[in-house]
């Protein structure tokens, strides 16, 4: 009989985590060499560098003079720079890797417009999404040399580095002469065609331009007047602020006003005022390929998370993605991970699968998983919701195997933290119950299909008061009152102090879950078969994972209810025995094709199903 033990000694200690007992955290084994790891083998840690660790106080103001509205640094304000940087992130690689993390994804580090916004609405580019120079590291974070030092340090440890990139827009530099009078409302292509200035009754412009669905450079050479919808204007001081220089050409932008996130405006509108690039234009396509290809060439980046991917026309991705894969391949990077942000808040795979199919994006952040986990773990929905969500894996391009490479997450910097959703949806402030539910959510993320993605601070019990700025707390000692009054999960600490505690129960849990996943080919690469779920109330969810290459089978089981449960669950009839991987596993089969599952309230377990294969 063939038995697959997958380094059980490293993970059996995690069984106490399920019952709420002490967790004996182990230092994870070194990851397999980068070149040998497939995309689905990774464990990702997502971090905003500004909010992590300050390794060099001399760059806090980015080399700029003046006040906070000039340099963007104000550690008391949730919407300004707080001092975290690349040196700080590099110094904390031990902390990150000791959780079992194998890949770091960080918010954009490109040079940003320091501050933007109308009077009274100003905030800073600490998050990295207001880019002016796509070729340089923002001086608030350090230098290109310090970025190289960070990447090299991560690679020496066997950790991959994923950059967060933007092709949809730049910082808000272009204004519109008619903007204030119109409220910057979106002006549609039918009402404001490229062929007339300011509307269908306006002066004829751009003679011979055959529309933006014609990619011929000769066609685009005829689009010389950008005033078809609005008249773009740029302040003299910012005329040449963007790098590379071609980005300063206003004819390379849509210039149609603010998006309202529906229909045509979703692709052609400005994202909250940010300058929306005409990604249909061949100059923009080639320019973005050059920009981001250079980051692969120069630094050996291992993957890209693509911001606002669904707001870019599909044809752009059909050119960009193969070009990036080819650049990575030429650099010797065989498993380059590209995943797009296709934002929505519904427990479904439909929109992500649709955009991936239309655009050729190989993977997307798994928004549907996040919402399903929030609803199911909080008790707002029964496990049936997660079961039926997982059964949608077949609709992705490439089928269920594609779902193995989708980065799964529980909460993030845009929507808010998982613990916040669970507390709100469950209607309970009980601290012990909240901690148990948050642990259960992390178990689902690590034991179900997809690439688990830990949002920085979740492992320290950060909870957030809302979305966006309120969900971007400091790991370094914070001076933001709205952060420091939060009651952190599983800890008596506050964000007013440094939060890098390896003894925090959630840090220790992540370490154990990471060790189990890294040791088990079925948890990393196994396809899913839903075996059991409670239909109308909190309770059992059981999913069998099977990796055809190794033959390993694992049954992952979760109890979303507040009471213990005991149930018989079908398993593969190939199963001859059961070996514990995590939690409380049965000592033997209940009968051929069945195991008896016993789980405590909010408990979970993962059990290896021995076979003769």
């Amino acid at each position: 009989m063939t038995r697959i033990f997958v380094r059980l000694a490293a993970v059996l200690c995690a069984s106490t985590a399920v019952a709420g007992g002490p967790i004996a955290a182990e230092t994870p084994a070194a990851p397999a060499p980068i070149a040998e790891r497939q995309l689905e083998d990774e464990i990702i840690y997502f971090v905003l560098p500004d909010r992590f660790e300050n390794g060099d106080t001399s760059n806090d103001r980015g080399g700029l003079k003046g006040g906070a509205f000039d340099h963007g640094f104000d550690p008391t304000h949730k919407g300004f720079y707080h001092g975290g940087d690349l040196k700080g992130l590099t110094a904390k690689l031990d902390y990150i890797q000791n959780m079992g993390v194998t890949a770091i994804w960080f918010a954009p580090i490109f040079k940003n417009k320091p501050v933007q916004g109308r009077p009274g609405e100003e905030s800073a580019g600490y998050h990295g999404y207001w880019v002016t120079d796509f070729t340089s590291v923002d001086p608030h974070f350090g230098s290109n040399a310090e970025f190289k030092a960070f990447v090299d340090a991560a690679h020496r440890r066997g950790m991959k580095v994923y950059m967060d990139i933007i092709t949809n827009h730049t910082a808000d530099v272009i204004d519109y002469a008619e903007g204030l009078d119109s409220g910057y409302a979106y002006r549609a292509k039918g009402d404001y065609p490229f062929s007339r200035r300011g509307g269908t009754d306006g002066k004829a412009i751009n003679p011979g331009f055959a529309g933006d669905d014609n990619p011929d450079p000769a066609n685009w050479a005829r689009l010389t007047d950008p005033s078809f919808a609005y008249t773009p204007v740029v302040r003299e001081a910012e005329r040449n602020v963007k790098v590379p220089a071609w980005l300063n050409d206003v004819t390379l932008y849509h210039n149609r006003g603010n998006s309202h996130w529906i229909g045509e405006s979703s692709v052609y509108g400005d994202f909250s005022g940010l300058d929306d690039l005409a990604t249909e234009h061949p100059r923009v396509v080639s320019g973005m390929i050059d920009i981001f290809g250079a980051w692969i060439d120069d630094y050996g980046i291992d993957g890209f998370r693509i911001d606002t991917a669904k707001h870019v026309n599909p044809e752009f991705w059909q050119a960009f993605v193969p070009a990036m894969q080819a650049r990575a391949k030429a650099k010797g990077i065989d498993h380059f991970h590209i995943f797009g942000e296709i934002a929505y808040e519904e427990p479904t795979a439909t929109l992500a699968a649709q955009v991936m199919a239309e655009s050729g994006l190989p993977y997307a952040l798994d928004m549907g998983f996040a919402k399903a986990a929030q609803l199911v773990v909080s008790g707002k929905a029964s496990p049936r919701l997660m079961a039926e969500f997982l059964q949608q894996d077949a609709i992705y391009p490439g089928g269920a195997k594609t779902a193995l490479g989708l980065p799964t997450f529980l909460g993030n910097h845009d929507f808010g933290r998982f613990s916040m959703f669970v507390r709100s949806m469950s209607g309970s402030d009980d601290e012990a119950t909240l901690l148990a539910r948050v642990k259960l959510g992390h178990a689902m993320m690590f034991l179900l299909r997809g690439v688990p993605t830990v949002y920085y601070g979740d492992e320290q019990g950060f909870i957030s008061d809302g979305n966006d700025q309120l969900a971007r707390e400091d790991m370094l000692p914070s001076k933001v009152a709205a952060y420091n009054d939060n009651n952190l999960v599983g800890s008596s600490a506050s964000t007013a102090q440094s939060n890098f505690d390896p003894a925090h129960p959630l840090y220790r849990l992540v370490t154990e879950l990471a060790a189990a996943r890294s040791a088990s080919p079925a948890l990393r690469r196994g396809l899913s078969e839903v075996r059991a779920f409670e239909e109308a109330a909190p309770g059992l969810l059981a999913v069998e994972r099977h990796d055809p290459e190794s033959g390993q089978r694992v049954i992952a089981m979760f109890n979303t209810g507040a009471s213990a449960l005991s149930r018989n669950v079908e398993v593969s009839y190939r199963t001859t025995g059961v070996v514990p991987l995590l939690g409380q596993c049965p000592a033997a089969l209940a009968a051929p094709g069945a195991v008896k599952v016993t789980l405590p309230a909010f408990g979970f377990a993962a059990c290896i199903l021995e076979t003769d294969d």
Side-chain angles (χ1 to χ4, degrees):
M1 178 173 64
T2 301
R3 295 190 175 193
I4 303 174
F5 287 96
V6 296
R7 294 181 288 171
L8 287 176
V11 295
L12 283 175
C13 60
S15 61
T16 54
V18 181
I23 307 170
E26 299 282 338
T27 300
I34 287 176
E36 296 178 9
R37 300 202 307 265
Q38 298 182 24
L39 307 179
E40 54 266 32
D41 293 337
E42 308 305 333
I43 296 167
I44 302 173
Y45 189 74
F46 172 45
V47 59
L48 273 65
D50 178 64
R51 302 302 166 90
F52 202 64
E53 178 73 335
N54 192 339
D56 183 359
T57 57
S58 70
N59 63 27
D60 288 354
R61 291 168 175 78
L64 302 172
K65 300 185 184 301
F69 286 1
D70 301 301
H71 51 62
F73 178 69
D74 181 357
T76 69
H77 193 300
K78 67 182 186 299
F80 281 70
Y81 286 97
H82 291 178
D85 50 34
L86 288 167
K87 281 187 176 179
L89 190 58
T90 305
K92 290 296 183 182
L93 282 174
D94 275 347
Y95 168 85
I96 297 171
Q97 187 171 33
N98 285 345
M99 270 186 288
V101 169
T102 64
I104 302 173
W105 152 35
F106 44 83
I109 47 79
F110 313 107
K111 187 177 181 180
N112 269 228
K113 187 171 183 177
V115 178
Q116 65 181 41
R118 298 179 188 177
E121 300 176 358
E122 299 92 345
S123 63
Y126 69 92
H127 42 69
Y129 295 100
W130 299 344
V131 182
T132 55
D133 182 350
F134 286 86
T135 68
S136 299
V137 169
D138 192 288
H140 291 88
F141 300 143
S143 65
N144 285 38
E146 287 168 343
F147 179 69
K148 186 177 189 307
F150 166 75
V151 175
D152 290 348
H155 282 168
R156 282 194 298 271
R157 294 165 173 265
M159 302 175 75
K160 294 184 179 180
V161 176
Y162 295 164
M163 293 186 79
D164 201 321
I165 69 169
I166 310 105
T167 67
N168 177 66
H169 58 262
T170 70
D172 185 9
V173 171
I174 301 172
D175 200 356
Y176 303 134
E178 310 87 352
L180 285 176
D181 292 338
S182 69
Y184 297 88
Y186 182 76
R187 292 184 168 179
K189 293 166 69 178
D191 294 324
Y192 296 87
F194 295 108
S195 58
R196 293 290 185 271
R197 178 176 296 161
T200 54
D201 296 329
K203 177 184 174 182
I205 57 174
N206 302 316
F209 180 65
D212 64 357
D213 58 350
N214 181 345
D216 187 348
N219 175 55
W220 284 91
R222 300 184 183 102
L223 184 68
T224 58
D225 189 335
S227 60
F228 38 82
Y230 283 100
T231 306
V233 293
V234 178
R235 294 190 306 118
E236 185 63 35
E238 293 186 312
R239 284 192 182 276
N240 297 300
V241 72
K242 297 180 184 180
V243 180
W246 62 265
L247 288 164
N248 295 299
D249 182 352
V250 296
T251 67
L252 300 178
Y253 296 82
H254 285 136
N255 300 315
R256 289 189 173 275
N258 283 333
S259 173
H260 52 271
W261 320 119
I262 297 172
E264 179 188 304
S265 84
S266 181
V267 173
Y268 287 85
D270 294 342
F271 195 106
S272 300
L274 298 168
D275 299 349
D276 200 68
L277 279 156
T279 46
E280 305 82 10
H281 199 302
R283 183 67 186 92
V284 176
V285 176
S286 63
M288 286 297 172
I289 288 173
D290 289 344
I291 286 170
F292 294 114
W295 286 95
I296 299 172
D297 295 344
D298 296 343
Y299 300 96
I301 301 303
D302 302 289
F304 289 152
R305 178 266 191 186
I306 300 175
D307 184 63
T308 52
K310 75 174 182 179
H311 302 295
V312 175
N313 59 303
E315 295 81 5
F316 176 90
W317 300 126
Q318 291 163 12
F320 182 85
V321 168
M324 294 302 99
Q325 291 170 330
R327 292 289 271 269
K329 188 79 171 176
K331 187 74 174 177
I333 305 167
D334 293 328
H335 302 297
F336 193 79
H337 204 173
I338 296 177
F339 49 99
E341 178 201 27
I342 303 169
Y344 59 95
E345 290 191 85
E346 299 293 335
T348 175
T350 307
L351 180 59
Q354 174 190 335
V355 174
M356 289 166 62
E358 291 172 345
S359 65
L361 283 167
Y363 300 101
L365 281 166
D366 200 343
M367 303 283 172
F369 177 89
K371 185 52 63 177
Q374 292 161 12
L375 290 165
V376 170
V377 170
S378 67
K380 190 81 171 177
S382 75
R384 173 183 175 183
L385 180 71
M386 180 63 82
E388 293 180 345
F389 170 74
L390 293 173
Q391 289 167 339
Q392 293 181 38
D393 285 354
I395 72 173
Y396 290 108
K401 193 174 188 309
T402 296
L404 298 176
L406 303 176
T408 52
F409 67 100
L410 299 171
N412 67 10
H413 61 316
D414 289 329
F415 298 145
R417 293 190 181 270
F418 180 66
S419 51
M420 177 194 73
F421 286 109
V422 170
R423 181 179 62 181
S424 173
M425 292 178 180
S426 69
S428 172
D429 287 324
D430 181 77
E431 293 186 12
T433 301
L434 179 58
L435 176 59
R437 288 186 190 273
V438 171
K439 286 182 175 182
L440 177 62
H442 281 82
M444 285 188 178
M445 182 171 69
F446 274 83
L447 302 179
L448 296 176
R449 98 293 180 270
V451 184
T453 303
V454 178
Y455 180 38
Y456 86 97
D458 280 1
E459 79 280 5
Q460 295 295 328
F462 285 12
I463 191 165
S464 77
D465 288 326
N467 65 352
D468 199 74
Q469 295 177 7
L470 287 169
R472 300 169 182 178
E473 303 97 317
D474 299 311
M475 296 283 279
L476 53 86
S478 183
K479 298 180 181 179
V480 178
Y483 298 162
N484 293 342
D485 64 0
N486 289 348
N487 185 18
L488 304 189
V489 179
S491 172
S492 60
S494 83
T495 54
Q497 63 197 75
S498 181
N499 279 279
F500 295 97
D501 180 11
H504 191 288
L506 290 172
Y507 182 100
R508 297 167 77 188
L509 175 69
V510 168
T511 304
E512 299 296 344
L513 291 168
R517 187 179 187 278
S518 296
S520 169
L523 291 182
R524 299 193 312 275
R525 305 178 185 181
L527 299 176
S528 303
E529 183 170 1
V530 175
R531 289 298 193 182
F533 58 87
E534 193 67 40
E535 297 179 11
L540 178 67
L541 171 67
V543 179
E544 187 172 322
R545 307 283 308 279
H546 175 228
D547 172 42
E549 183 175 344
S550 68
Q552 189 187 65
R553 294 178 183 269
V554 169
I555 184 82
M557 300 166 290
F558 313 90
N559 179 10
T560 68
S563 301
L565 64 79
S566 185
R567 286 267 304 275
N568 289 317
V569 173
E570 182 186 20
V571 294
S572 170
Y573 276 80
R574 297 176 181 271
T575 304
T576 58
V578 183
V579 173
L581 180 60
L582 279 172
Q584 185 175 337
C585 292
L589 293 171
V595 294
K596 186 168 186 178
V597 176
T598 301
L599 292 173
F602 309 119
F604 57 89
C607 311
I608 296 172
L609 304 176
E610 295 182 301
T611 70
D612 289 325
D613 293 349

